[in-house]
Short mmCIF file of all heavy atoms in Angstrom, two decimals:
data_model
loop_
_atom_site.label_atom_id
_atom_site.label_comp_id
_atom_site.label_asym_id
_atom_site.label_seq_id
_atom_site.Cartn_x
_atom_site.Cartn_y
_atom_site.Cartn_z
N MET A 7 25.60 116.40 139.65
CA MET A 7 25.47 117.60 138.84
C MET A 7 25.27 118.80 139.75
O MET A 7 24.51 118.75 140.70
CB MET A 7 24.31 117.43 137.89
CG MET A 7 24.13 118.55 136.93
SD MET A 7 22.94 118.07 135.69
CE MET A 7 23.27 119.30 134.50
N ARG A 8 25.94 119.88 139.44
CA ARG A 8 25.85 121.07 140.27
C ARG A 8 24.60 121.88 139.95
O ARG A 8 24.01 121.74 138.88
CB ARG A 8 27.09 121.92 140.09
CG ARG A 8 27.20 122.50 138.71
CD ARG A 8 28.47 123.24 138.49
NE ARG A 8 28.38 123.87 137.18
CZ ARG A 8 28.89 125.01 136.88
NH1 ARG A 8 29.59 125.67 137.75
NH2 ARG A 8 28.74 125.51 135.68
N LYS A 9 24.22 122.75 140.89
CA LYS A 9 23.08 123.63 140.67
C LYS A 9 23.49 124.77 139.75
O LYS A 9 24.61 125.27 139.84
CB LYS A 9 22.59 124.20 142.00
CG LYS A 9 21.84 123.23 142.85
CD LYS A 9 21.34 123.92 144.09
CE LYS A 9 19.85 124.08 143.98
NZ LYS A 9 19.25 124.65 145.17
N LEU A 10 22.58 125.17 138.91
CA LEU A 10 22.83 126.29 138.01
C LEU A 10 22.20 127.55 138.60
O LEU A 10 21.11 127.50 139.16
CB LEU A 10 22.23 126.01 136.64
CG LEU A 10 22.74 124.78 135.90
CD1 LEU A 10 21.97 124.58 134.62
CD2 LEU A 10 24.21 124.91 135.61
N ASN A 11 22.88 128.68 138.43
CA ASN A 11 22.29 129.93 138.88
C ASN A 11 21.29 130.42 137.82
O ASN A 11 21.13 129.81 136.75
CB ASN A 11 23.35 130.98 139.22
CG ASN A 11 24.19 131.36 138.02
OD1 ASN A 11 23.75 131.27 136.89
ND2 ASN A 11 25.41 131.79 138.27
N THR A 12 20.63 131.52 138.09
CA THR A 12 19.56 132.00 137.22
C THR A 12 20.07 132.34 135.82
O THR A 12 19.42 132.00 134.83
CB THR A 12 18.91 133.25 137.84
OG1 THR A 12 18.49 132.93 139.17
CG2 THR A 12 17.72 133.71 137.04
N THR A 13 21.21 132.96 135.72
CA THR A 13 21.77 133.31 134.41
C THR A 13 22.06 132.07 133.59
O THR A 13 21.75 132.02 132.39
CB THR A 13 23.06 134.13 134.59
OG1 THR A 13 22.79 135.26 135.42
CG2 THR A 13 23.59 134.60 133.26
N GLN A 14 22.63 131.06 134.22
CA GLN A 14 22.93 129.83 133.51
C GLN A 14 21.65 129.12 133.06
O GLN A 14 21.60 128.55 131.97
CB GLN A 14 23.76 128.90 134.39
CG GLN A 14 25.17 129.40 134.60
CD GLN A 14 25.91 128.59 135.63
OE1 GLN A 14 25.34 128.24 136.67
NE2 GLN A 14 27.16 128.28 135.36
N LYS A 15 20.60 129.18 133.87
CA LYS A 15 19.33 128.57 133.48
C LYS A 15 18.73 129.27 132.28
O LYS A 15 18.19 128.63 131.38
CB LYS A 15 18.35 128.60 134.65
CG LYS A 15 18.70 127.65 135.77
CD LYS A 15 17.72 127.78 136.92
CE LYS A 15 18.15 126.93 138.10
NZ LYS A 15 17.28 127.12 139.27
N VAL A 16 18.82 130.60 132.25
CA VAL A 16 18.29 131.37 131.12
C VAL A 16 19.07 131.03 129.85
O VAL A 16 18.48 130.80 128.78
CB VAL A 16 18.33 132.89 131.42
CG1 VAL A 16 18.05 133.70 130.18
CG2 VAL A 16 17.37 133.23 132.53
N ILE A 17 20.39 130.98 129.94
CA ILE A 17 21.21 130.66 128.77
C ILE A 17 20.94 129.24 128.30
O ILE A 17 20.83 128.98 127.09
CB ILE A 17 22.70 130.87 129.10
CG1 ILE A 17 22.99 132.36 129.26
CG2 ILE A 17 23.59 130.27 128.01
CD1 ILE A 17 24.38 132.67 129.73
N LEU A 18 20.79 128.30 129.23
CA LEU A 18 20.47 126.93 128.87
C LEU A 18 19.12 126.84 128.17
O LEU A 18 18.98 126.16 127.14
CB LEU A 18 20.48 126.05 130.12
CG LEU A 18 20.19 124.57 129.92
CD1 LEU A 18 21.25 123.93 129.02
CD2 LEU A 18 20.10 123.85 131.25
N THR A 19 18.12 127.55 128.69
CA THR A 19 16.79 127.55 128.07
C THR A 19 16.85 128.16 126.67
O THR A 19 16.24 127.61 125.73
CB THR A 19 15.80 128.34 128.94
OG1 THR A 19 15.80 127.77 130.26
CG2 THR A 19 14.41 128.30 128.37
N MET A 20 17.56 129.26 126.51
CA MET A 20 17.70 129.87 125.19
C MET A 20 18.39 128.91 124.22
O MET A 20 18.02 128.83 123.04
CB MET A 20 18.49 131.18 125.28
CG MET A 20 17.71 132.30 125.92
SD MET A 20 18.63 133.83 126.25
CE MET A 20 19.84 133.94 125.00
N GLY A 21 19.37 128.18 124.70
CA GLY A 21 20.07 127.22 123.87
C GLY A 21 19.18 126.08 123.42
O GLY A 21 19.21 125.66 122.26
N ILE A 22 18.38 125.56 124.33
CA ILE A 22 17.47 124.47 123.98
C ILE A 22 16.42 124.94 122.99
O ILE A 22 16.12 124.24 122.00
CB ILE A 22 16.82 123.89 125.26
CG1 ILE A 22 17.89 123.18 126.10
CG2 ILE A 22 15.68 122.96 124.93
CD1 ILE A 22 17.43 122.76 127.48
N VAL A 23 15.87 126.13 123.20
CA VAL A 23 14.89 126.67 122.26
C VAL A 23 15.52 126.88 120.89
O VAL A 23 14.92 126.55 119.85
CB VAL A 23 14.27 127.98 122.81
CG1 VAL A 23 13.46 128.70 121.75
CG2 VAL A 23 13.43 127.70 124.03
N GLY A 24 16.72 127.42 120.84
CA GLY A 24 17.40 127.63 119.56
C GLY A 24 17.66 126.33 118.84
O GLY A 24 17.48 126.22 117.62
N ALA A 25 18.09 125.31 119.57
CA ALA A 25 18.34 124.01 118.95
C ALA A 25 17.05 123.39 118.44
O ALA A 25 17.02 122.79 117.35
CB ALA A 25 19.02 123.08 119.96
N LEU A 26 15.97 123.54 119.20
CA LEU A 26 14.68 123.01 118.74
C LEU A 26 14.19 123.72 117.48
O LEU A 26 13.64 123.08 116.58
CB LEU A 26 13.65 123.12 119.86
CG LEU A 26 13.86 122.19 121.06
CD1 LEU A 26 12.83 122.48 122.15
CD2 LEU A 26 13.79 120.74 120.62
N ILE A 27 14.40 125.02 117.40
CA ILE A 27 14.04 125.76 116.17
C ILE A 27 14.88 125.24 115.00
O ILE A 27 14.38 125.06 113.89
CB ILE A 27 14.22 127.28 116.36
CG1 ILE A 27 13.19 127.82 117.34
CG2 ILE A 27 14.12 128.01 115.03
CD1 ILE A 27 13.41 129.26 117.75
N GLY A 28 16.16 124.98 115.26
CA GLY A 28 17.03 124.43 114.22
C GLY A 28 16.56 123.06 113.74
O GLY A 28 16.53 122.78 112.54
N PHE A 29 16.19 122.18 114.68
CA PHE A 29 15.68 120.86 114.30
C PHE A 29 14.37 120.97 113.52
O PHE A 29 14.15 120.29 112.53
CB PHE A 29 15.45 119.98 115.54
CG PHE A 29 16.71 119.39 116.10
CD1 PHE A 29 16.98 119.52 117.46
CD2 PHE A 29 17.61 118.71 115.31
CE1 PHE A 29 18.13 118.98 118.00
CE2 PHE A 29 18.77 118.17 115.83
CZ PHE A 29 19.03 118.31 117.18
N TYR A 30 13.49 121.86 113.99
CA TYR A 30 12.22 122.08 113.29
C TYR A 30 12.46 122.56 111.87
O TYR A 30 11.83 122.09 110.92
CB TYR A 30 11.37 123.09 114.07
CG TYR A 30 10.09 123.46 113.37
CD1 TYR A 30 9.01 122.58 113.36
CD2 TYR A 30 9.96 124.68 112.72
CE1 TYR A 30 7.83 122.91 112.72
CE2 TYR A 30 8.79 125.02 112.07
CZ TYR A 30 7.73 124.14 112.07
OH TYR A 30 6.57 124.46 111.42
N GLY A 31 13.38 123.49 111.71
CA GLY A 31 13.70 124.00 110.38
C GLY A 31 14.27 122.92 109.48
O GLY A 31 13.97 122.87 108.28
N LYS A 32 15.08 122.06 110.03
CA LYS A 32 15.66 120.97 109.24
C LYS A 32 14.57 120.02 108.73
O LYS A 32 14.56 119.63 107.57
CB LYS A 32 16.68 120.21 110.11
CG LYS A 32 17.20 118.94 109.51
CD LYS A 32 18.19 119.19 108.41
CE LYS A 32 18.82 117.87 107.98
NZ LYS A 32 19.46 117.97 106.71
N TRP A 33 13.66 119.67 109.63
CA TRP A 33 12.63 118.70 109.25
C TRP A 33 11.55 119.29 108.36
O TRP A 33 10.89 118.55 107.64
CB TRP A 33 11.98 118.10 110.49
CG TRP A 33 12.86 117.06 111.13
CD1 TRP A 33 13.62 116.14 110.49
CD2 TRP A 33 13.09 116.87 112.51
NE1 TRP A 33 14.30 115.37 111.40
CE2 TRP A 33 13.99 115.80 112.65
CE3 TRP A 33 12.60 117.49 113.66
CZ2 TRP A 33 14.42 115.34 113.89
CZ3 TRP A 33 13.04 117.02 114.88
CH2 TRP A 33 13.94 115.96 114.98
N THR A 34 11.34 120.60 108.39
CA THR A 34 10.31 121.21 107.53
C THR A 34 10.88 121.71 106.21
O THR A 34 10.14 122.27 105.41
CB THR A 34 9.59 122.36 108.27
OG1 THR A 34 10.55 123.32 108.68
CG2 THR A 34 8.82 121.84 109.45
N GLY A 35 12.17 121.52 106.00
CA GLY A 35 12.74 121.83 104.69
C GLY A 35 13.24 123.24 104.51
O GLY A 35 13.31 123.73 103.37
N TRP A 36 13.61 123.92 105.58
CA TRP A 36 14.19 125.24 105.44
C TRP A 36 15.53 125.12 104.72
O TRP A 36 16.16 124.07 104.72
CB TRP A 36 14.44 125.89 106.79
CG TRP A 36 13.22 126.26 107.58
CD1 TRP A 36 11.93 126.06 107.25
CD2 TRP A 36 13.22 126.86 108.87
NE1 TRP A 36 11.11 126.50 108.25
CE2 TRP A 36 11.87 127.00 109.26
CE3 TRP A 36 14.20 127.30 109.74
CZ2 TRP A 36 11.49 127.56 110.47
CZ3 TRP A 36 13.82 127.86 110.95
CH2 TRP A 36 12.49 127.99 111.30
N ALA A 37 15.97 126.20 104.15
CA ALA A 37 17.30 126.23 103.53
C ALA A 37 18.36 126.07 104.62
O ALA A 37 18.16 126.42 105.78
CB ALA A 37 17.51 127.55 102.79
N TYR A 38 19.50 125.52 104.22
CA TYR A 38 20.58 125.24 105.17
C TYR A 38 20.99 126.49 105.94
O TYR A 38 21.19 126.45 107.15
CB TYR A 38 21.78 124.66 104.42
CG TYR A 38 22.97 124.36 105.29
CD1 TYR A 38 23.01 123.23 106.08
CD2 TYR A 38 24.06 125.24 105.32
CE1 TYR A 38 24.10 122.95 106.89
CE2 TYR A 38 25.15 124.96 106.13
CZ TYR A 38 25.16 123.82 106.90
OH TYR A 38 26.24 123.57 107.70
N ASP A 39 21.11 127.61 105.24
CA ASP A 39 21.52 128.86 105.88
C ASP A 39 20.51 129.35 106.91
O ASP A 39 20.86 130.08 107.83
CB ASP A 39 21.73 129.96 104.84
CG ASP A 39 22.89 129.67 103.91
OD1 ASP A 39 23.71 128.81 104.28
OD2 ASP A 39 22.95 130.27 102.84
N ASP A 40 19.26 128.97 106.76
CA ASP A 40 18.23 129.43 107.68
C ASP A 40 18.19 128.63 108.98
O ASP A 40 18.09 129.19 110.06
CB ASP A 40 16.85 129.36 107.01
CG ASP A 40 16.73 130.34 105.86
OD1 ASP A 40 17.46 131.35 105.85
OD2 ASP A 40 15.91 130.08 104.97
N TYR A 41 18.24 127.31 108.90
CA TYR A 41 18.10 126.52 110.14
C TYR A 41 19.42 126.32 110.86
O TYR A 41 19.45 126.17 112.08
CB TYR A 41 17.43 125.17 109.87
CG TYR A 41 18.31 124.12 109.22
CD1 TYR A 41 19.17 123.33 109.98
CD2 TYR A 41 18.26 123.90 107.85
CE1 TYR A 41 19.96 122.36 109.39
CE2 TYR A 41 19.05 122.94 107.26
CZ TYR A 41 19.90 122.17 108.04
OH TYR A 41 20.68 121.23 107.45
N PHE A 42 20.54 126.29 110.14
CA PHE A 42 21.82 125.99 110.79
C PHE A 42 22.23 127.07 111.77
O PHE A 42 22.84 126.76 112.80
CB PHE A 42 22.92 125.77 109.75
CG PHE A 42 24.20 125.29 110.37
CD1 PHE A 42 24.32 124.00 110.84
CD2 PHE A 42 25.29 126.14 110.49
CE1 PHE A 42 25.49 123.55 111.43
CE2 PHE A 42 26.47 125.70 111.07
CZ PHE A 42 26.57 124.40 111.54
N VAL A 43 21.91 128.30 111.52
CA VAL A 43 22.26 129.40 112.44
C VAL A 43 21.59 129.18 113.79
O VAL A 43 22.23 129.30 114.84
CB VAL A 43 21.84 130.76 111.83
CG1 VAL A 43 22.02 131.88 112.83
CG2 VAL A 43 22.61 131.03 110.56
N PHE A 44 20.31 128.83 113.78
CA PHE A 44 19.60 128.58 115.04
C PHE A 44 20.17 127.36 115.76
O PHE A 44 20.37 127.37 116.97
CB PHE A 44 18.10 128.36 114.78
CG PHE A 44 17.38 129.61 114.39
CD1 PHE A 44 16.99 129.83 113.08
CD2 PHE A 44 17.07 130.57 115.35
CE1 PHE A 44 16.31 130.97 112.73
CE2 PHE A 44 16.39 131.72 115.00
CZ PHE A 44 16.02 131.92 113.69
N PHE A 45 20.42 126.30 115.01
CA PHE A 45 20.93 125.07 115.62
C PHE A 45 22.32 125.30 116.22
O PHE A 45 22.57 124.93 117.37
CB PHE A 45 20.98 123.95 114.58
CG PHE A 45 21.58 122.69 115.12
CD1 PHE A 45 20.87 121.90 116.00
CD2 PHE A 45 22.85 122.30 114.76
CE1 PHE A 45 21.42 120.74 116.52
CE2 PHE A 45 23.41 121.15 115.27
CZ PHE A 45 22.69 120.37 116.15
N TYR A 46 23.22 125.89 115.48
CA TYR A 46 24.59 126.09 115.95
C TYR A 46 24.63 127.03 117.16
O TYR A 46 25.32 126.77 118.14
CB TYR A 46 25.46 126.64 114.82
CG TYR A 46 26.91 126.77 115.18
CD1 TYR A 46 27.73 125.65 115.24
CD2 TYR A 46 27.46 128.01 115.48
CE1 TYR A 46 29.06 125.76 115.58
CE2 TYR A 46 28.79 128.13 115.82
CZ TYR A 46 29.58 127.00 115.87
OH TYR A 46 30.89 127.12 116.22
N THR A 47 23.87 128.10 117.10
CA THR A 47 23.83 129.05 118.22
C THR A 47 23.22 128.39 119.46
O THR A 47 23.71 128.57 120.57
CB THR A 47 23.03 130.30 117.83
OG1 THR A 47 23.58 130.86 116.65
CG2 THR A 47 23.04 131.33 118.94
N GLY A 48 22.15 127.63 119.27
CA GLY A 48 21.53 126.93 120.39
C GLY A 48 22.47 125.94 121.05
O GLY A 48 22.58 125.88 122.28
N MET A 49 23.18 125.16 120.26
CA MET A 49 24.12 124.19 120.82
C MET A 49 25.27 124.89 121.55
O MET A 49 25.75 124.42 122.57
CB MET A 49 24.68 123.29 119.72
CG MET A 49 23.70 122.28 119.19
SD MET A 49 23.36 121.02 120.43
CE MET A 49 21.68 121.34 120.83
N THR A 50 25.69 126.03 121.04
CA THR A 50 26.74 126.79 121.70
C THR A 50 26.26 127.33 123.04
O THR A 50 26.99 127.28 124.03
CB THR A 50 27.22 127.94 120.80
OG1 THR A 50 27.63 127.40 119.54
CG2 THR A 50 28.37 128.70 121.42
N PHE A 51 25.04 127.82 123.10
CA PHE A 51 24.49 128.32 124.36
C PHE A 51 24.37 127.21 125.39
O PHE A 51 24.64 127.42 126.57
CB PHE A 51 23.13 128.97 124.14
CG PHE A 51 23.18 130.42 123.73
CD1 PHE A 51 24.32 130.97 123.18
CD2 PHE A 51 22.09 131.24 123.90
CE1 PHE A 51 24.37 132.30 122.81
CE2 PHE A 51 22.11 132.56 123.53
CZ PHE A 51 23.26 133.10 122.99
N VAL A 52 23.97 126.02 124.96
CA VAL A 52 23.88 124.89 125.89
C VAL A 52 25.25 124.60 126.48
O VAL A 52 25.39 124.35 127.67
CB VAL A 52 23.29 123.65 125.19
CG1 VAL A 52 23.43 122.41 126.04
CG2 VAL A 52 21.83 123.89 124.85
N TRP A 53 26.28 124.63 125.67
CA TRP A 53 27.63 124.37 126.13
C TRP A 53 28.12 125.47 127.07
O TRP A 53 28.75 125.21 128.10
CB TRP A 53 28.54 124.26 124.90
CG TRP A 53 29.97 124.05 125.19
CD1 TRP A 53 30.55 122.92 125.67
CD2 TRP A 53 31.02 125.01 125.02
NE1 TRP A 53 31.90 123.11 125.80
CE2 TRP A 53 32.22 124.39 125.41
CE3 TRP A 53 31.07 126.32 124.58
CZ2 TRP A 53 33.44 125.03 125.37
CZ3 TRP A 53 32.28 126.96 124.54
CH2 TRP A 53 33.44 126.33 124.92
N ILE A 54 27.82 126.71 126.74
CA ILE A 54 28.26 127.86 127.54
C ILE A 54 27.63 127.83 128.93
O ILE A 54 28.27 128.23 129.91
CB ILE A 54 27.93 129.18 126.81
CG1 ILE A 54 28.87 129.37 125.63
CG2 ILE A 54 28.01 130.37 127.75
CD1 ILE A 54 28.50 130.54 124.74
N ALA A 55 26.40 127.35 129.06
CA ALA A 55 25.72 127.35 130.36
C ALA A 55 26.47 126.52 131.40
O ALA A 55 26.37 126.81 132.60
CB ALA A 55 24.30 126.81 130.19
N PHE A 56 27.25 125.54 130.98
CA PHE A 56 27.94 124.67 131.93
C PHE A 56 29.40 125.04 132.15
O PHE A 56 30.10 124.34 132.89
CB PHE A 56 27.83 123.21 131.48
CG PHE A 56 26.41 122.71 131.56
CD1 PHE A 56 25.63 122.60 130.43
CD2 PHE A 56 25.86 122.37 132.78
CE1 PHE A 56 24.33 122.15 130.51
CE2 PHE A 56 24.57 121.92 132.88
CZ PHE A 56 23.79 121.82 131.73
N LEU A 57 29.88 126.11 131.56
CA LEU A 57 31.24 126.55 131.81
C LEU A 57 31.35 127.14 133.21
O LEU A 57 30.42 127.75 133.71
CB LEU A 57 31.66 127.62 130.79
CG LEU A 57 31.90 127.15 129.37
CD1 LEU A 57 32.20 128.36 128.48
CD2 LEU A 57 33.04 126.18 129.32
N PRO A 58 32.50 127.00 133.86
CA PRO A 58 32.66 127.60 135.19
C PRO A 58 32.71 129.13 135.08
O PRO A 58 33.06 129.67 134.04
CB PRO A 58 33.99 127.05 135.69
CG PRO A 58 34.73 126.64 134.47
CD PRO A 58 33.70 126.27 133.45
N SER A 59 32.35 129.78 136.16
CA SER A 59 32.38 131.24 136.15
C SER A 59 33.82 131.72 136.03
O SER A 59 34.76 131.04 136.42
CB SER A 59 31.73 131.80 137.41
OG SER A 59 32.50 131.46 138.53
N SER A 60 34.00 132.92 135.52
CA SER A 60 35.36 133.44 135.29
C SER A 60 36.10 133.67 136.61
O SER A 60 37.31 133.53 136.67
CB SER A 60 35.29 134.73 134.49
OG SER A 60 34.56 135.71 135.20
N LYS A 61 35.41 134.03 137.67
CA LYS A 61 36.07 134.27 138.96
C LYS A 61 36.67 132.97 139.51
O LYS A 61 37.79 132.95 139.96
CB LYS A 61 35.07 134.85 139.96
CG LYS A 61 34.63 136.24 139.64
CD LYS A 61 33.64 136.74 140.66
CE LYS A 61 33.12 138.10 140.28
NZ LYS A 61 32.08 138.57 141.19
N ALA A 62 35.91 131.90 139.47
CA ALA A 62 36.39 130.64 140.01
C ALA A 62 37.53 130.08 139.18
O ALA A 62 38.38 129.37 139.68
CB ALA A 62 35.25 129.63 140.07
N CYS A 63 37.57 130.42 137.92
CA CYS A 63 38.58 129.88 137.02
C CYS A 63 39.94 130.58 137.19
O CYS A 63 40.97 129.94 137.13
CB CYS A 63 38.10 130.04 135.58
SG CYS A 63 39.21 129.36 134.37
N CYS A 64 39.94 131.85 137.43
CA CYS A 64 41.19 132.62 137.40
C CYS A 64 41.82 132.88 138.76
O CYS A 64 42.99 133.20 138.84
CB CYS A 64 40.94 133.96 136.71
SG CYS A 64 40.46 133.77 135.00
N ILE A 65 41.08 132.78 139.83
CA ILE A 65 41.62 133.12 141.14
C ILE A 65 42.83 132.27 141.53
O ILE A 65 43.81 132.82 142.03
CB ILE A 65 40.51 133.07 142.21
CG1 ILE A 65 39.58 134.25 142.02
CG2 ILE A 65 41.09 133.08 143.62
CD1 ILE A 65 38.38 134.27 142.95
N PRO A 66 42.83 130.95 141.32
CA PRO A 66 44.02 130.18 141.72
C PRO A 66 45.31 130.65 141.03
O PRO A 66 46.37 130.65 141.64
CB PRO A 66 43.69 128.76 141.30
CG PRO A 66 42.21 128.71 141.25
CD PRO A 66 41.78 130.08 140.85
N PHE A 67 45.22 131.08 139.80
CA PHE A 67 46.40 131.56 139.08
C PHE A 67 46.87 132.90 139.62
O PHE A 67 48.06 133.18 139.65
CB PHE A 67 46.12 131.64 137.58
CG PHE A 67 45.75 130.31 137.00
CD1 PHE A 67 44.47 130.08 136.55
CD2 PHE A 67 46.68 129.29 136.91
CE1 PHE A 67 44.12 128.85 136.02
CE2 PHE A 67 46.36 128.07 136.38
CZ PHE A 67 45.07 127.84 135.94
N TRP A 68 45.94 133.75 140.04
CA TRP A 68 46.33 135.03 140.61
C TRP A 68 47.06 134.82 141.92
O TRP A 68 48.05 135.49 142.21
CB TRP A 68 45.11 135.90 140.85
CG TRP A 68 44.47 136.41 139.61
CD1 TRP A 68 44.97 136.40 138.34
CD2 TRP A 68 43.19 137.02 139.52
NE1 TRP A 68 44.08 136.94 137.47
CE2 TRP A 68 42.97 137.34 138.16
CE3 TRP A 68 42.20 137.31 140.43
CZ2 TRP A 68 41.82 137.95 137.72
CZ3 TRP A 68 41.04 137.92 139.99
CH2 TRP A 68 40.87 138.23 138.65
N LYS A 69 46.61 133.92 142.76
CA LYS A 69 47.24 133.69 144.06
C LYS A 69 48.66 133.15 143.87
O LYS A 69 49.56 133.52 144.60
CB LYS A 69 46.41 132.73 144.89
CG LYS A 69 45.13 133.34 145.39
CD LYS A 69 44.33 132.36 146.23
CE LYS A 69 43.04 132.98 146.69
NZ LYS A 69 42.21 132.03 147.46
N LYS A 70 48.87 132.28 142.92
CA LYS A 70 50.20 131.73 142.69
C LYS A 70 51.15 132.84 142.22
O LYS A 70 52.30 132.88 142.61
CB LYS A 70 50.15 130.61 141.67
CG LYS A 70 49.53 129.35 142.21
CD LYS A 70 49.51 128.27 141.17
CE LYS A 70 48.80 127.03 141.70
NZ LYS A 70 48.72 125.98 140.69
N ARG A 71 50.68 133.70 141.35
CA ARG A 71 51.52 134.80 140.87
C ARG A 71 51.86 135.77 141.99
O ARG A 71 52.97 136.27 142.08
CB ARG A 71 50.80 135.56 139.76
CG ARG A 71 51.23 135.14 138.41
CD ARG A 71 50.71 136.12 137.40
NE ARG A 71 50.03 135.33 136.39
CZ ARG A 71 49.12 135.77 135.57
NH1 ARG A 71 48.73 137.01 135.64
NH2 ARG A 71 48.59 134.99 134.69
N ALA A 72 50.91 136.05 142.84
CA ALA A 72 51.13 137.01 143.93
C ALA A 72 52.18 136.49 144.91
O ALA A 72 52.96 137.25 145.45
CB ALA A 72 49.82 137.30 144.65
N GLN A 73 52.22 135.18 145.14
CA GLN A 73 53.19 134.62 146.06
C GLN A 73 54.59 134.66 145.50
O GLN A 73 55.55 134.81 146.24
CB GLN A 73 52.81 133.18 146.40
CG GLN A 73 51.54 133.07 147.23
CD GLN A 73 51.10 131.63 147.41
OE1 GLN A 73 51.68 130.72 146.84
NE2 GLN A 73 50.06 131.44 148.20
N LYS A 74 54.76 134.53 144.21
CA LYS A 74 56.09 134.53 143.60
C LYS A 74 56.73 135.93 143.62
O LYS A 74 57.91 136.06 143.67
CB LYS A 74 56.02 134.01 142.16
CG LYS A 74 55.76 132.52 142.09
CD LYS A 74 55.74 132.08 140.65
CE LYS A 74 55.47 130.60 140.54
NZ LYS A 74 55.42 130.13 139.16
N GLN A 75 55.92 136.96 143.54
CA GLN A 75 56.46 138.31 143.46
C GLN A 75 56.88 138.79 144.76
O GLN A 75 57.15 138.88 145.70
CB GLN A 75 55.41 139.26 142.91
CG GLN A 75 55.14 138.98 141.46
CD GLN A 75 54.04 139.89 140.93
OE1 GLN A 75 53.44 140.67 141.65
NE2 GLN A 75 53.78 139.80 139.65
#
């Protein structure tokens, strides 16, 4: 597993907290509209924290285009 930078750690922590609030709301009987927003947003943040950075993702495609022109 790779090391996460500070921004990714913050997003991961926010995602875990959001998911925990969603689980808590589910178990304490909150309305669906109230707990699902926290749960869905938290799970999305957890997923986003592990995406590659935009620079590392796009540079190989830029180099290939530059060579063809």
Side-chain angles (χ1 to χ4, degrees):
M7 184 169 195
R8 66 185 186 146
K9 285 183 108 176
L10 300 175
N11 62 27
T12 306
T13 306
Q14 290 171 318
K15 288 177 186 175
V16 169
I17 290 173
L18 181 62
T19 305
M20 288 173 31
I22 292 171
V23 169
L26 290 175
I27 291 171
F29 282 130
Y30 175 76
K32 171 75 172 164
W33 283 321
T34 57
W36 292 2
Y38 178 79
D39 294 343
D40 293 335
Y41 76 83
F42 187 73
V43 172
F44 288 105
F45 176 74
Y46 185 76
T47 305
M49 287 290 112
T50 304
F51 274 20
V52 169
W53 177 71
I54 287 172
F56 292 102
L57 288 176
S59 66
S60 61
K61 292 180 184 175
C63 182
C64 296
I65 288 176
F67 299 111
W68 289 347
K69 288 181 181 177
K70 287 180 184 178
R71 262 192 232 159
Q73 291 173 354
K74 289 182 180 179
Q75 291 178 355

